[in-house]
Amino acid sequence: MKLTIERAALLKALGHVQSVVERRNTIPILSNILLSAEGDRLSFSATDLDMEIIDEGFAQIDVPGQITAPAHTLYEIVRKLPDGADVSLSFSGDDPRLVIQAGRSRFNLPVLPAGDFPVMSSDGLSSRIAVDTNELIRLIDKTRFAISTEETRYYLNGLYVHTVNEGGETKLRAVATDGHRLALAEMPAPEGAVGIPGVIVPRKTIAEARRLMESAGETVDLQVSPQKVRFEFGAAALTSKVIDGAFPDYMRVIPRDNAKILTLDNDLFAKAVDRVATISAEKSRSVKLAVEPGRITLTVRNMEAGQAVEEVEVDYDGEPFEIGFNARYLLDVCGQIAGPQAEFRFADPASPTLVVDPVDPGVKYVLMPLRV
Amino acid sequence: MARCPACASPRTVFHEELGTLSIAHMDCDAFYASVEKRDDPSLRDLPVIIGGGKRGVVTTACYIARMSGAKSAMPMFKALKLCPDAVVIKPNFAKYKEESRRIHEKLDRLTPLIQPLSLDEAWIDLTGTERLHGATPAQMLARLQAEIERDIGLTVSVGLAPNKFLAKIASELDKPRGFSAIGAAEAQSFLANKPVNILPGVGPATVASLAEIGLRTVGDIAAADLKLLANRLGSGGMRLHRLAHGQDSRIVDPDQARKTISAETTFNDDLHKREDLEDELWPLCEKVAKQARQEGVAGRVATLKLRTPDFKIHTRRRTLAVPTQTARTLFQVARELLSAEPRGLAYRLIGAGLTEFVDADTAGADMFADEERRALKSETAIDALRGKFGAAAVVTGRALKGR
């Protein structure tokens, strides 16, 4: 293999794929990326066995070929090379190392045979569904904060992406929950999405896909099968296993007829919550909301750190009541509200509370109260 | 290990690392039997077996009974065949709990880092207490041993080592009334010729799996290729490899104290009908759930235990979506586990349990726990009624049928 490629193209492609490579691996070849030179392109592939990212860049190929080299080292080297440099990569049977040359710099890296590199099959994937990139970004950004990190409930360690038919309209919906809060965002289903299997996309995959969307075009091509999901962003593509488990029946915990409806200024409320939470206990982060017509009184009492009280004006004219929440969960939800106002719908101090965004009917948040 | 030059006892009198070892394992000698013998001196020289009924199993055999071959977990009839003149005593757990509490009072004076394993067993971390006590861990433990014998009238065995695994092995070495130490330097050579089942977590299945690749002793495992072990046993293989080298990085964790809550019952006659088994299962679930509520914990895993007439034990477990502390949920899952077993088999024992505990308040605040919350409400109400008017005040139909 012998080729020359611009540093910028090389760095971009390496940047896309190298983050999937784990820092520490028990299987040596998983620390490497696969380089394949053919035609006028150099393609890159990296995997952690659960997820695979591929990308490619134009290069001048003198001798086509394939080899694997340490991903992080290669990335670091290319990152430190001067801007605008031409980088030549070569590997021949004579020297069992990959030679990287740019200007007066020369590196020799150990390699492992390309034939040993694990490749993820894309069998059984559905046909491509073109999804508007910004809409997909919205689905992810509005929900990913609620993905559980609790390993025992592995089936909550991802974003549940599926289609639903409500009122004759099919929607592509993403739901995440950790049992304490739930986030739901949906968009009109893109063409071809009807009938795709619902999949739980792992947290790491969501993070990588989201990163790659930054440099994607107007649409992202999505393919799913009951075992796998694939995102294509132009030349780069991410294929990942999905979580093998059943996502709980989340509709059952989304309150439908919570009658105590309250509207508030989202920004003022969030800032007040953040202020009083300064002294909340590390573990529960509990904040009490005393709701009465026209206002909420936020109280945090902490045996060691003291007490904090703040009043916020709200639009509410029902019965007074008290309810407690984890301040961090409350702030997470406030952070997702796009409009100036947030609408809270309460039932009672022990039942789930629904939070909606008056300017975006496509999102819903559910918060489980704490005992106060 | 140096034997005492005067009496050739393996009890540790000198050890290179004795001044530096600080993780200990303490175990009472034939605990239940010793308590009974202490309270009734006429039993002192007789073989004593603690256990329930003719069909039960041996809970504890005293050292005299052990000489005839009786040992704990053995079926009672078998133990009595080996040791026909044994005095059989039904266990009195309230009494043993009280003695356990008295021993723990003494332990607590040494360090807060105590991890109880059962009523009569605990790991103790004395690291860094030397200046506080003005004595090395070994000296403090020897004093503790003498004090327990003097004040409570029970003997304990102590193992001292650089980690939990070796400490537990050390405490077994010189039982009863033993005191042994295993140092880091000698650990590997000491373990080398021991059978693999000395390692924690290695049961008959793993023994067989290891034998297939020619590994029979701990030394074999220590010398084996790590990749081979990992291939065979997954991450458990890497754990065994470390243990075989005498390495164990688990800490003495006082919060990890309680591992399971369980209850079981042995039938007078073997049962094989699903309904009969379920009738026996329900009160056990009630008992386990009540204990969990009292301790403020909820179990993430439900277990079912069955013993067949040939004394094979089958345990089945399932991880729950939401940790539970209610009989309703536990029974529901245990019943499902039972129905997954082949039909028509007879059993002599059934048991139910909860394990992998979490704080009950956190578990109850989960949005998918609505059924559990409802069940909890009714069961706490029943607890309250029974507390006021006695256990018979509220009886479920199922429990009534079982009588």
Side-chain angles (χ1 to χ4, degrees):
Chain A
M1 185 179 86
K2 189 166 167 28
L3 61 101
T4 309
I5 182 168
E6 269 178 38
R7 173 193 174 258
L10 183 58
L11 186 65
K12 186 176 169 218
L14 284 172
H16 282 164
V17 302
Q18 60 98 23
S19 67
V20 69
V21 178
E22 296 283 355
R23 290 275 156 191
R24 284 197 288 174
N25 272 307
T26 42
I27 306 171
I29 202 158
L30 293 183
S31 298
N32 283 10
I33 57 165
L34 175 67
L35 303 167
S36 313
E38 207 188 328
D40 59 355
R41 271 156 230 240
L42 176 61
S43 64
F44 305 80
S45 172
T47 180
D48 66 358
L49 293 182
D50 291 326
M51 183 191 343
E52 176 192 82
I53 300 184
I54 57 170
D55 198 4
E56 58 183 27
F58 285 106
Q60 184 202 315
I61 314 281
D62 298 328
V63 183
Q66 280 193 316
I67 196 65
T68 79
H72 295 304
T73 320
L74 190 57
Y75 177 68
E76 283 304 307
I77 290 171
V78 175
R79 197 173 60 82
K80 290 171 185 170
L81 289 176
D83 248 351
D86 276 333
V87 186
S88 96
L89 301 176
S90 60
F91 172 76
S92 66
D94 309 337
D95 179 3
R97 292 176 300 178
L98 177 71
V99 182
I100 303 149
Q101 258 182 301
R104 296 187 188 182
S105 315
R106 185 188 164 92
F107 297 86
N108 292 295
L109 295 186
V111 297
L112 287 168
D116 292 354
F117 195 80
V119 178
M120 203 176 253
S121 84
S122 44
D123 296 348
L125 284 170
S126 67
S127 51
R128 286 183 178 74
I129 303 157
V131 189
D132 182 273
T133 308
N134 288 327
E135 281 285 297
L136 196 55
I137 287 177
R138 175 177 153 271
L139 285 199
I140 292 174
D141 289 355
K142 295 279 177 192
T143 53
R144 64 195 275 201
F145 69 92
I147 296 175
S148 170
T149 52
E150 212 180 304
E151 279 174 32
T152 44
R153 292 166 97 182
Y154 58 93
Y155 50 85
L156 297 183
N157 294 167
L159 189 62
Y160 182 44
V161 180
H162 58 296
T163 55
V164 285
N165 194 311
E166 271 179 5
E169 196 191 348
T170 306
K171 287 165 180 161
L172 182 66
R173 185 184 277 176
V175 180
T177 179
D178 62 2
H180 303 288
R181 61 255 174 86
L182 178 145
L184 177 154
E186 60 192 13
M187 60 184 272
E191 206 175 321
V194 179
I196 59 164
V199 287
I200 308 170
V201 185
R203 188 179 41 247
K204 186 178 172 189
T205 306
I206 290 293
E208 289 299 325
R210 177 65 184 81
R211 200 173 52 81
L212 292 167
M213 281 172 206
E214 292 294 338
S215 49
E218 265 177 38
T219 61
V220 173
D221 281 345
L222 182 69
Q223 288 174 277
V224 291
S225 79
Q227 289 81 34
K228 273 181 206 143
V229 61
R230 182 177 167 93
F231 299 88
E232 279 180 22
F233 318 86
L238 184 166
T239 312
S240 167
K241 287 185 189 161
V242 297
I243 294 171
D244 183 14
F247 201 80
D249 174 18
Y250 64 87
M251 283 307 285
R252 164 170 86 82
V253 300
I254 299 182
R256 265 161 241 224
D257 26 51
N258 280 3
K260 295 175 179 142
I261 297 172
L262 174 156
T263 317
L264 47 73
D265 183 307
N266 184 50
D267 192 40
L268 287 182
F269 178 69
K271 283 189 174 140
V273 170
D274 192 25
R275 268 191 294 273
V276 296
T278 318
I279 60 160
S280 68
E282 272 308 309
K283 205 176 151 203
S284 67
R285 314 275 301 162
S286 162
V287 50
K288 187 175 83 180
L289 279 60
V291 183
E292 56 193 303
R295 71 172 171 209
I296 289 183
T297 310
L298 302 168
T299 312
V300 173
R301 267 201 191 86
N302 183 341
M303 297 286 270
E304 287 128 36
Q307 181 175 342
V309 182
E310 180 155 350
E311 271 181 26
V312 182
E313 268 183 52
V314 299
D315 189 358
Y316 177 70
D317 54 10
E319 290 287 304
F321 65 96
E322 290 185 355
I323 190 165
F325 291 105
N326 178 319
R328 193 162 56 81
Y329 297 168
L330 216 44
L331 287 173
D332 279 346
V333 168
C334 291
Q336 300 309 322
I337 302 291
Q341 295 201 305
E343 186 179 308
F344 282 70
R345 298 184 191 166
F346 302 96
D348 60 67
S351 306
T353 294
L354 182 70
V355 185
V356 295
D357 187 344
V359 304
D360 185 353
V363 298
K364 283 192 178 89
Y365 300 98
V366 182
L367 280 171
M368 211 42 209
L370 291 173
R371 246 185 261 172
V372 284
Chain B
M1 239 151 302
R3 283 185 177 250
C4 168
C7 63
S9 157
R11 188 181 168 94
T12 302
V13 288
F14 174 75
H15 189 285
E16 290 272 323
E17 299 177 37
L18 196 58
T20 58
L21 301 174
S22 60
I23 309 283
H25 178 259
M26 190 209 78
D27 190 4
C28 299
D29 305 320
F31 183 50
Y32 301 167
S34 305
V35 172
E36 298 298 346
K37 287 195 177 199
R38 182 199 64 187
D39 293 349
D40 181 357
S42 72
L43 296 173
R44 204 191 67 184
D45 301 323
L46 300 174
V48 169
I49 290 178
I50 312 293
K54 257 224 142 55
R55 304 230 343 154
V57 291
V58 176
T59 315
T60 312
C62 79
Y63 281 89
I64 302 174
R66 286 186 202 183
M67 288 192 294
S68 329
K71 51 186 177 190
S72 44
M74 181 180 268
M76 193 57 94
F77 76 88
K78 206 167 158 192
L80 287 176
K81 207 180 267 173
L82 291 165
C83 183
D85 49 351
V87 180
V88 178
I89 300 174
K90 277 208 167 169
N92 177 352
F93 290 106
K95 185 152 89 179
Y96 311 144
K97 257 186 200 159
E98 170 58 19
E99 295 308 319
S100 172
R101 194 194 52 77
R102 288 175 69 191
I103 292 171
H104 273 276
E105 242 172 39
K106 292 193 180 295
L107 291 180
D108 288 341
R109 272 180 237 148
L110 294 186
T111 167
L113 290 182
I114 311 266
Q115 182 179 343
L117 280 157
S118 64
L119 280 183
D120 66 324
E121 236 186 297
W123 271 308
I124 307 163
D125 184 351
L126 286 166
T127 313
T129 61
E130 194 168 340
R131 287 194 44 195
L132 175 71
H133 295 309
T136 63
Q139 288 167 320
M140 289 312 294
L141 289 163
R143 263 180 231 171
L144 170 81
Q145 207 175 13
E147 241 179 69
I148 292 175
E149 196 167 339
R150 188 188 68 213
D151 299 347
I152 307 179
L154 297 171
T155 64
V156 300
S157 294
V158 173
L160 188 56
N163 60 45
K164 279 167 119 177
F165 160 58
L166 293 172
K168 173 136 182 159
I169 289 183
S171 75
E172 294 287 324
L173 284 179
D174 182 27
K175 255 179 164 311
R177 223 168 155 259
F179 194 110
S180 313
I182 299 178
E186 69 193 331
Q188 208 176 329
S189 57
F190 170 79
L191 291 170
N193 57 358
K194 299 279 184 291
V196 290
N197 65 11
I198 196 177
L199 302 175
V202 176
T206 315
V207 169
S209 169
L210 288 168
E212 275 174 38
I213 48 173
L215 306 180
R216 285 180 183 81
T217 66
V218 178
D220 292 343
I221 294 185
D225 180 24
L226 183 58
K227 260 195 217 153
L228 177 76
L229 282 171
N231 260 340
R232 194 89 192 166
L233 305 168
S235 62
M238 300 204 225
R239 190 181 70 91
L240 291 189
H241 197 253
R242 282 196 299 274
L243 288 174
H245 283 93
Q247 294 161 2
D248 176 11
S249 53
R250 289 174 299 162
I251 57 163
V252 174
D253 182 0
D255 295 334
Q256 249 209 347
R258 187 71 142 148
K259 282 224 173 114
T260 79
I261 298 176
S262 63
E264 58 185 50
T265 182
T266 303
F267 319 132
N268 289 323
D269 300 293
D270 292 347
L271 295 181
H272 66 276
K273 277 198 202 134
R274 242 343 91 86
E275 310 88 85
D276 295 346
L277 287 164
E278 285 177 5
D279 290 344
E280 294 286 344
L281 193 56
W282 170 255
L284 300 173
C285 293
E286 275 198 306
K287 200 167 152 188
V288 169
K290 188 175 175 211
Q291 182 77 38
R293 287 195 292 273
Q294 275 171 358
E295 296 189 16
V297 293
R300 201 184 276 292
V301 172
T303 59
L304 172 75
K305 178 173 168 184
L306 294 163
R307 194 196 284 269
T308 54
D310 58 350
F311 288 95
K312 284 210 177 98
I313 294 179
H314 300 264
T315 47
R316 302 286 178 259
R317 51 184 279 146
R318 180 178 297 167
T319 304
L320 309 171
V322 173
T324 188
Q325 51 175 182
T326 63
R328 211 184 104 149
T329 310
L330 176 59
F331 178 70
Q332 195 184 322
V333 176
R335 182 159 68 167
E336 277 172 37
L337 292 171
L338 178 64
S339 67
E341 295 298 304
R343 286 206 162 258
L345 284 188
Y347 298 103
R348 68 190 322 271
L349 169 150
I350 195 164
L354 286 174
T355 176
E356 294 191 17
F357 293 116
V358 298
D359 182 63
D361 277 348
T362 335
D366 193 291
M367 58 177 82
F368 297 102
D370 43 350
E371 270 178 50
E372 170 71 9
R373 274 194 295 275
R374 267 196 298 278
L376 184 62
K377 228 176 182 173
S378 80
E379 288 182 28
T380 11
I382 293 174
D383 284 349
L385 283 173
R386 283 178 177 163
K388 217 166 173 181
F389 303 110
V394 189
V395 181
T396 57
R398 185 174 283 283
L400 211 52
K401 192 179 146 209
R403 286 189 189 166

